[in-house]
Amino acid sequence: MTPTIAVMMLAAYLSGSICSAILVSRIFRLPDPRTHGSGNPGATNVLRLGGAFPAILVLVFDVLKGTIPVWGSYFLGIEAFYLGMIAICACLGHIYPLFFGFKGGKAVATAFGSMMPIGLDLAGLLISTWMMLVGATGYSSLAAIVTVSLAPIFTWFIKPLYTIPVSMLSLLIILRHKDNIIRLWRGDESKVWHKGRKKTKKESDPGSE
């Protein structure tokens, strides 16, 4: 590992540690997403607590947290395996944010942003898969789990070189959703449009983000 790779991994983690859900919620004077709704600081929970516009801001910022460090590393000539490690660092920053007590979200949007530099065709497949699944089932978590599970397969057909890094990233996101998988199996998971039910952090986490 070169010093450049180490610096980019650190930069990716620090970028991921900026929790946009908390910052946007403060700007719009919304409840703290860590203690209201699902208790998960991400775009889906902000959607429940504050509506579409704040949620879109959170989503865009979380995507960019993954895209910028990975794309920058690509232009620095860093090889595919380490691009995957940099993407994972960005997601780990979102999951365990240095600036917010190491308590973050599921990193779905950040993982998606990390995959975007592979190509717009992959981005289109991921977006369309997620949207179709949410539309068909209403479960953000299920859509995220299935989409990231398919991401390595999509990557294999588009740019096989990046299949292993994408597989590592997908595994991290699936493991992060282990509680959602249990709730889906039990039938306890709430749907994404069930907004307005402001639960405390001790109650179940209905969403992916």
Side-chain angles (χ1 to χ4, degrees):
M1 181 187 298
T2 67
T4 300
I5 295 172
V7 168
M8 292 307 298
M9 290 175 68
L10 177 60
Y13 172 76
L14 294 176
S15 173
S17 291
I18 302 172
C19 187
S20 59
I22 297 174
L23 297 177
V24 168
S25 294
R26 289 176 181 174
I27 292 171
F28 285 87
R29 297 183 179 180
L30 300 175
D32 190 329
R34 294 170 296 181
T35 55
H36 292 77
S38 68
N40 205 10
T44 301
N45 197 26
V46 172
L47 174 65
R48 294 188 179 92
L49 298 173
F53 184 64
I56 290 171
L57 293 179
V58 173
L59 179 63
V60 170
F61 189 82
D62 284 351
V63 168
L64 291 176
K65 290 194 304 186
T67 302
I68 292 174
V70 173
W71 217 335
S73 300
Y74 172 80
F75 283 109
L76 289 174
I78 294 175
E79 60 188 80
F81 174 80
Y82 289 109
L83 289 177
M85 296 302 295
I86 290 166
I88 288 173
C89 286
C91 291
L92 288 175
H94 183 90
I95 296 170
Y96 305 108
L98 176 65
F99 310 122
F100 295 93
F102 299 99
K103 295 180 180 180
K106 298 280 171 45
V108 174
T110 303
F112 168 73
S114 300
M115 297 179 194
M116 280 186 66
I118 294 175
L120 293 178
D121 41 6
L122 176 61
L125 282 170
L126 295 175
I127 292 173
S128 58
T129 300
W130 185 86
M131 291 182 66
M132 285 189 296
L133 287 167
V134 170
T137 68
Y139 294 112
S140 175
S141 56
L142 177 62
I145 293 164
V146 174
T147 301
V148 298
S149 298
L150 292 173
I153 299 174
F154 293 155
T155 305
W156 173 259
F157 286 104
I158 294 169
K159 286 188 179 178
L161 176 65
Y162 296 98
T163 302
I164 292 178
V166 169
S167 298
M168 294 190 299
L169 193 58
S170 297
L171 180 60
L172 172 65
I173 301 305
I174 293 170
L175 290 174
R176 183 62 174 161
H177 280 79
K178 62 182 185 301
D179 293 335
N180 299 87
I181 293 171
I182 293 172
R183 284 194 296 273
L184 284 165
W185 179 259
R186 293 175 176 172
D188 296 331
E189 189 83 332
S190 296
K191 297 186 177 182
V192 68
W193 45 71
H194 289 172
K195 53 184 289 189
R197 296 176 59 196
K198 297 183 179 181
K199 301 179 181 181
T200 64
K201 193 173 182 179
K202 294 181 181 180
E203 294 181 276
S204 63
D205 171 4
S208 166
E209 270 290 304

